[in-house]
Amino acid sequence: MESERPDQKKTKQLGEGEKTASGLMGRVREETAALKERAIEEAKTYKDPQDTQLWKSIFRVSHDRADPRNRSLAILSNVFLHLHPAKINRDATRYGFTWGMGGITFYLFVVLTFTGVLLMFYYHPQKVLAFRDILYLEHDVPFGKLLRNMHRWAAHLMVITTWLHMFRVVLTGSYKRPREFNWCVGVVLLVLTLLLSFTGYLLPDDQLGFWAVTVGTNMARATPMFGSEGPLGPQLGMTPFNDVRFGLLGGSIVDSNALLRSYIWHCIGIPLVASIFMAVHFWRIRKDGGISGPAPVMLESELKAVKKK
Amino acid sequence: MDWHQLWIIASAPDNVPIVAMLFLVPIFTWMGIRQARANDRLIVRLEGDTKLAKTHHRKVEPWRPGWAKELHVWPYLVRIEFLVTLIVTVILFVWSITLNAPLEEPSNPNLTMNPSKAPWYFLGLQEMLVYFDPWIAGVVMPSLIMIGLMVFPYVDSSPFGNGYYTIKQRRFALGMFGWGFLMWIMLIFIGTFIRGPGWIWFWPGQTWDHNTVVFDKNVDLHDFIATSAIGKFLHLGFLQSTAGKAIFGGLVVGGFYILGGLFFHWLMTRGGLDRFDGSLPLTRRLWLWITTKDKFESKLLARTSLLQYLTFQFFAVSVLLALPVKLILRLALTIKYVWVTPYFNI
Ligand code: HEM
């Protein structure tokens, strides 16, 4: 319908070409006025963005703020928010209970992924090039220094917040039944967080990272049975050229291969595994009945005998 | 006192997070303890008043009849999350603008960094290298710590304190965690602030001397005993033979596990000092604390299965006790190994 209109207008104008200019102008003015009217009418319907087709197609529900059903749907029908239940225990929103530490840790992981991808645009995991890329990033790339600093400090902060999160879980006894397994998933996440930091440390290929990784991987030499200098290692045929350290470094010294392996673990391997574990971690929080508290206190008189299975 | 040296260490950009932790850990510990205290008071009150226990909503959080038990996540939780991400983002921006990430010279295998330190959160491991051989410090201990952490929920048989802060009901569990956490922080602290060139002990404020020579004056336990006055008097020279030291070391380690186990067994049922009448003199209370069992803790111990008990004992003695004992042996008595065999040394 609408697309036909300009055509009609055109044919009309062509047909009445000999008409006087004022007549033509009059018609144009008339049409413009009508169009304006239409536009105003239509704009009124856009006044509430939540009523637009675009909004509804994205969010699937209108957020009529007073309607409790919509508040639930706002959570349930959003892929990012549906990690949450629609409703939670009134006291569980108190900042003092969880300190928001798990959430902050996750947010830092997101920040690290974002800044990390940007860093990847400027970085070659190769001897000589790697160090130059960092210098380039610090001195020439717009906001490069800020980008590098942010990735660095977010990583340190993530280690701290993961510890504090774990500390909170201990203090509130949240590892107890039925959350034992999620605690174990958490321990794996802690280890992965530390490994992410460690693999990243080598990447600038400066003295700091090089020697830290040298010291770190030298310990791998001493792995019992699988290291060339560990107990039972030599007896099982381990040499510096086939033990675990060799596997980690892709060689017997920290060199180009080690840089490449570090890079791949840091940018692909560990983040991938960590994401999977985080997905399980969050899923289990829901399945275990949400955040553990603040729960009503239990009294000594309520202690039941241990169930015999 | 060389303040400059101390400042160099504390202000190294990669060490700033530890300095931050010096503030963050106490703040959050205080936040936890404050809530635990409030809950503990409530528990005492409700335990003394069975009627109230039936009607009270059992939380320290305020509550009024008529209030909904649950809230909508949108907006009441989502808005907090949003606010927190904003704050974290601002902190990160400020931190990143004011402090630059370190970058040293390009890597050079021919020029050893001295001291060559791992990032601060790994310094606990690196410091452990002083006390144990690399296969223990670098492989066995980290594995034991990881597995020990994973095992913890399964050996803590107490149903108390699930989802609320309390100290009173979880003294032993919190004590063990706290002890581990403290030890870890202490190792990191030593590794960061005290170890200097050659991984030598420099007190905070002492100037790092790059020319200090490390001379190994450490001795093994069997030598220490065999060559001591008592050892000579008792003719313990045979301890220095290959078989002698292997058997001796095995006995020492076995004895350590037995004594350690007894120690934790004793500690498990102690409870708090506040279970005694406060009007008694402190020494009397201490004596009673050492010699008598706490009823509540004994009840919890009785619920623990044999498997839970033994698993806990294994990790407690192997990590929580072995680490400080070896640390003291090394630092105070300069003992290197307690068990020397042809295959491994501990
Ligand atoms: C990458 C690291 C981690 C992330 C992103 C993460 C994320 C979260 C989040 C968002 C929550 C919801 C409650 C809260 O915010 O406190 C949570 C809960 C929990 N986390 Fe983690 N976590 C991580 C590491 C850990 C670690 C290291 C542990 C323990 C060893 C752990 C154990 C738990 C447990 C048991 C819960 C349930 C707590 C409750 O119900 O009160 N998590 N985690």
Side-chain angles (χ1 to χ4, degrees):
Chain A
M1 274 280 284
E2 275 165 3
S3 60
E4 285 168 15
R5 284 182 79 92
D7 281 3
Q8 275 176 357
K9 219 162 128 189
K10 235 182 217 167
T11 41
K12 255 188 195 167
Q13 279 174 354
L14 282 178
E16 297 161 13
E18 316 95 66
K19 280 241 171 178
T20 58
S22 70
L24 182 65
M25 284 307 288
R27 287 190 73 84
V28 169
R29 241 177 248 133
E30 224 169 76
E31 291 263 340
T32 321
L35 206 59
K36 193 176 153 199
E37 195 98 327
R38 249 177 78 94
I40 291 172
E41 278 303 303
E42 205 173 305
K44 275 186 193 151
T45 66
Y46 298 147
K47 218 172 174 181
D48 187 355
Q50 300 194 358
D51 267 345
T52 58
Q53 186 183 359
L54 181 66
W55 179 284
K56 284 180 185 163
S57 74
I58 298 173
F59 295 104
R60 298 188 65 241
V61 283
S62 79
H63 293 178
D64 180 357
R65 290 168 186 83
D67 183 353
R69 184 165 170 276
N70 281 342
R71 283 188 167 173
S72 303
L73 285 176
I75 296 297
L76 299 179
S77 59
N78 182 308
V79 68
F80 301 106
L81 295 178
H82 93 280
L83 278 173
H84 292 308
K87 287 176 131 192
I88 45 164
N89 190 315
R90 144 170 250 121
D91 301 323
T93 58
R94 283 170 188 278
Y95 180 77
F97 184 71
T98 64
W99 311 341
M101 272 308 156
I104 294 175
T105 308
F106 179 62
Y107 176 63
L108 288 169
F109 183 73
V110 173
V111 169
L112 284 162
T113 311
F114 183 74
T115 51
V117 168
L118 292 181
L119 286 172
M120 284 171 82
F121 286 130
Y122 297 100
Y123 179 84
H124 303 77
Q126 237 174 66
K127 277 282 180 191
V128 183
L129 277 185
F131 187 79
R132 265 189 219 166
D133 284 339
I134 304 294
L135 289 181
Y136 178 56
L137 200 67
E138 292 217 321
H139 299 291
D140 293 305
V141 177
F143 298 109
K145 201 167 206 164
L146 183 68
L147 189 63
R148 173 164 186 249
N149 289 348
M150 208 164 206
H151 195 72
R152 181 79 158 212
W153 302 137
H156 280 273
L157 203 56
M158 185 171 165
V159 173
I160 296 180
T161 57
T162 311
W163 280 3
L164 288 177
H165 169 54
M166 183 170 156
F167 187 44
R168 188 285 290 183
V169 171
V170 169
L171 288 185
T172 57
S174 303
Y175 57 79
K176 296 187 179 202
R177 205 188 311 238
R179 295 179 180 80
E180 305 101 316
F181 183 70
N182 214 16
W183 163 271
C184 295
V185 174
V187 175
V188 174
L189 280 173
L190 175 71
V191 174
L192 290 175
T193 306
L194 293 173
L195 286 179
L196 269 174
S197 280
F198 189 65
T199 49
Y201 218 63
L202 178 66
L203 298 184
D205 197 28
D206 64 344
Q207 282 285 68
L208 206 60
F210 177 84
W211 286 103
V213 169
T214 303
V215 171
T217 49
N218 275 349
M219 285 192 214
R221 256 203 272 256
T223 313
M225 297 200 285
F226 301 107
S228 56
E229 289 171 14
L232 299 179
Q235 286 88 335
L236 290 171
M238 289 298 158
T239 68
F241 305 100
N242 65 1
D243 65 352
V244 268
R245 182 170 171 278
F246 190 92
L248 288 175
L249 295 178
S252 57
I253 51 167
V254 181
D255 204 17
S256 223
N257 281 351
L259 198 56
L260 184 62
R261 287 195 182 197
S262 219
Y263 176 74
I264 292 173
W265 279 121
H266 185 74
C267 302
I268 301 172
I270 306 175
L272 208 65
V273 179
S275 308
I276 294 171
F277 273 90
M278 277 185 209
V280 176
H281 196 58
F282 300 156
W283 167 257
R284 279 300 298 244
I285 295 171
R286 289 292 304 279
K287 291 288 133 183
D288 293 337
I291 293 305
S292 58
V297 297
M298 180 178 164
L299 301 182
E300 203 181 326
S301 54
E302 291 159 347
L303 190 63
K304 294 195 191 83
V306 188
K307 263 188 235 137
K308 293 269 179 316
K309 275 154 242 141
Chain B
M1 194 70 186
D2 185 351
W3 292 104
H4 184 64
Q5 179 71 61
L6 196 61
W7 173 246
I8 288 177
I9 302 172
S11 66
D14 269 353
N15 285 346
V16 166
I18 323 181
V19 180
M21 281 197 72
L22 285 182
F23 296 95
L24 288 174
V25 172
I27 288 173
F28 283 106
T29 310
W30 173 78
M31 247 167 103
I33 289 181
R34 202 172 50 106
Q35 296 177 71
R37 285 260 174 80
N39 276 328
D40 286 352
R41 278 194 297 270
L42 179 70
I43 290 166
V44 171
R45 211 173 114 217
L46 293 183
E47 257 163 8
D49 190 344
T50 34
K51 240 200 216 146
L52 185 67
K54 278 197 187 113
T55 53
H56 195 280
H57 85 131
R58 298 255 185 131
K59 294 185 191 177
V60 286
E61 284 78 16
W63 186 76
R64 273 194 231 132
W67 274 7
K69 261 197 173 151
E70 295 190 316
L71 291 180
H72 276 287
V73 164
W74 178 285
Y76 298 107
L77 179 61
V78 177
R79 71 179 180 197
I80 297 177
E81 293 174 341
F82 183 64
L83 192 64
V84 168
T85 52
L86 279 187
I87 294 171
V88 173
T89 310
V90 169
I91 291 174
L92 272 181
F93 264 99
V94 172
W95 190 355
S96 306
I97 289 169
T98 51
L99 190 69
N100 284 328
L103 187 68
E104 299 272 334
E105 307 278 295
S107 69
N108 182 353
N110 300 318
L111 186 68
T112 317
M113 287 265 281
N114 192 8
S116 140
K117 289 190 182 184
W120 59 270
Y121 36 82
F122 279 122
L123 282 186
L125 281 186
Q126 207 179 340
E127 175 63 16
M128 258 198 305
L129 280 172
V130 176
Y131 311 107
F132 295 103
D133 273 358
W135 67 277
I136 300 185
V139 184
V140 176
M141 274 293 177
S143 308
L144 282 181
I145 292 171
M146 251 176 71
I147 300 172
L149 278 174
M150 290 202 196
V151 148
F152 212 100
Y154 299 97
V155 299
D156 182 356
S157 61
S158 158
F160 290 103
N162 188 345
Y164 55 94
Y165 289 92
T166 169
I167 296 174
K168 190 176 138 41
Q169 294 180 326
R170 296 182 54 219
R171 278 213 168 83
F172 189 65
L174 289 183
M176 290 299 102
F177 264 116
W179 174 236
F181 194 59
L182 198 74
M183 220 157 51
W184 195 238
I185 301 236
M186 224 171 58
L187 286 178
I188 290 180
F189 185 84
I190 295 177
T192 309
F193 287 99
I194 290 185
R195 296 297 177 178
W199 213 257
I200 293 172
W201 189 283
F202 290 94
W203 291 103
Q206 209 178 340
T207 314
W208 281 7
D209 177 0
H210 286 264
N211 298 317
T212 313
V213 191
V214 197
F215 59 99
D216 194 355
K217 56 182 187 262
N218 295 318
V219 290
D220 298 337
L221 187 62
H222 59 88
D223 287 330
F224 181 79
I225 288 182
T227 55
S228 67
I230 299 173
K232 282 188 185 131
F233 178 71
L234 294 175
H235 299 288
L236 295 181
F238 64 89
L239 287 181
Q240 285 169 306
S241 68
T242 310
K245 59 189 173 191
I247 295 170
F248 168 76
L251 289 177
V252 168
V253 172
F256 169 73
Y257 268 84
I258 293 172
L259 284 180
L262 287 173
F263 169 70
F264 282 113
H265 185 82
W266 167 81
L267 195 63
M268 260 176 225
T269 48
R270 282 317 99 179
L273 206 55
D274 58 356
R275 65 187 161 102
F276 305 108
D277 184 359
S279 60
L280 292 172
L282 184 65
T283 45
R284 174 84 191 132
R285 271 184 288 159
L286 268 178
W287 176 250
L288 283 175
W289 184 79
I290 291 169
T291 52
T292 62
K293 286 183 180 177
D294 181 51
K295 276 209 204 80
F296 180 69
E297 299 287 345
S298 307
K299 233 191 235 178
L300 292 183
L301 181 58
R303 299 171 61 84
T304 310
S305 75
L306 207 58
L307 182 62
Q308 286 175 322
Y309 178 84
L310 290 176
T311 314
F312 170 76
Q313 283 281 17
F314 171 73
F315 285 103
V317 178
S318 314
V319 181
L320 293 176
L321 196 59
L323 210 78
V325 164
K326 193 73 198 283
L327 188 140
I328 290 168
L329 280 181
R330 168 61 65 92
L331 292 182
L333 300 175
T334 63
I335 300 289
K336 190 168 169 65
Y337 294 124
V338 293
W339 190 6
V340 177
T341 75
Y343 310 104
F344 62 87
N345 305 316
I346 288 176

